[in-house]
Amino acid sequence: LAKTTQPISMDSYEGQEVNITCSHNNIATNDYITWYQQFPSQGPRFIIQGYKTKVTNEVASLFIPADRKSSTLSLPRVSLSDTAVYYCLWRDDKIIFGKGTRLHILP
Amino acid sequence: NAGVTQTPKFRVLKTGQSMTLLCAQDMNHEYMYWYRQDPGMGLRLIHYSVGEGTTAKGEVPDGYNVSRLKKQNFLLGLESAAPSQTSVYFCASSYSNREAFFGQGTRLTVV
């Protein structure tokens, strides 16, 4: 059973900021929240990981509120090449993927 | 630096045949994983390993066996292939709770 809940699909336009929110009500105290990106016919690729507050790298930002029951992946100024499936997960020894969010960027 | 390498990349099997998929990583990772992904679906964990000589069941282990005799290799075996095992198989490796690195996948068709 997937441990996270996220929207099945989202559409956005090139140049806009996209925010994808994920719920993880039962996250354990010591676990990190991780986001992956997957393009068709490829393996998932790590985007960002965080424990609390805000984390930013060259690709995205991750916002995690104090209760850690949800997180938001923010993609700034998306392009057509950001069309992909985005997975939110928290892990222990296992890495369990949910259904992910299918993001479609329109020109 | 090759990262995670899966062999073979494609394979067609007849029902009842057996085969082994090989996953090799050169990053000295302790953790390794095998997933399957059916069309339009998310990844489902088959088996995983937290270190050399150890294996554990994931979400969908039935019909598969694994072995981790060497730290860098994780083998996935199908003893008697069935059409329901037609899928894309992905291997991954990681340090404990750090980011996982995935291979490019093995596309398996069972006819």
Side-chain angles (χ1 to χ4, degrees):
Chain A
L1 186 63
K3 299 183 280 190
T4 59
T5 303
Q6 51 186 122
I8 293 175
S9 65
M10 294 179 66
D11 291 339
S12 187
Y13 291 94
E14 276 193 296
Q16 295 196 333
E17 178 183 78
V18 171
N19 296 311
I20 306 174
T21 297
C22 176
S23 298
H24 28 79
N25 291 321
N26 298 317
I27 188 169
T29 303
N30 297 326
D31 290 332
Y32 282 73
I33 296 148
T34 311
W35 286 78
Y36 286 83
Q37 175 192 58
Q38 186 180 26
F39 297 114
S41 302
Q42 295 186 22
R45 185 182 71 155
F46 172 86
I47 301 175
I48 197 166
Q49 179 175 281
Y51 185 78
K52 61 180 178 181
T53 63
K54 178 182 175 181
V55 179
T56 298
N57 61 22
E58 64 277 6
V59 176
S61 294
L62 178 60
F63 300 91
I64 305 168
D67 65 8
R68 302 196 341 113
K69 293 185 182 300
S70 67
S71 61
T72 298
L73 175 73
S74 180
L75 304 173
R77 297 180 297 281
V78 293
S79 64
L80 294 176
S81 63
D82 291 316
T83 293
V85 179
Y86 293 81
Y87 296 96
C88 157
L89 56 95
W90 57 271
R91 59 166 297 178
D92 44 30
D93 287 346
K94 303 183 293 294
I95 305 177
I96 302 296
F97 285 80
K99 292 182 169 56
T101 296
R102 196 170 297 272
L103 177 63
H104 187 205
I105 305 302
L106 304 167
Chain B
N1 194 349
V4 178
T5 303
Q6 293 184 227
T7 308
K9 291 184 171 48
F10 303 94
R11 185 73 185 268
V12 178
L13 283 180
K14 294 183 178 179
T15 298
Q17 287 186 319
S18 64
M19 79 162 293
T20 300
L21 282 67
L22 170 64
C23 177
Q25 53 95 4
D26 60 3
M27 296 172 281
N28 201 35
H29 286 164
E30 290 292 334
Y31 289 46
M32 296 189 74
Y33 314 85
W34 273 108
Y35 293 88
R36 62 175 289 173
Q37 186 172 36
D38 299 324
M41 306 290 286
L43 287 83
R44 291 185 291 173
L45 182 64
I46 303 172
H47 286 281
Y48 66 102
S49 168
V50 299
E52 181 179 323
T54 73
T55 63
K57 294 180 180 179
E59 301 173 277
V60 289
D62 293 344
Y64 305 95
N65 56 76
V66 289
S67 63
R68 184 97 182 269
L69 299 180
K70 293 183 178 181
K71 186 177 184 178
Q72 64 268 35
N73 295 337
F74 195 28
L75 279 64
L76 178 70
L78 286 73
E79 291 186 348
S80 179
S84 61
Q85 294 178 303
T86 293
S87 190
V88 179
Y89 291 83
F90 288 103
C91 174
S93 71
S94 73
Y95 288 119
S96 65
N97 66 347
R98 302 286 297 278
E99 64 185 280
F101 294 82
F102 283 78
Q104 285 304 300
T106 295
R107 189 172 298 273
L108 175 67
T109 302
V110 183
V111 298

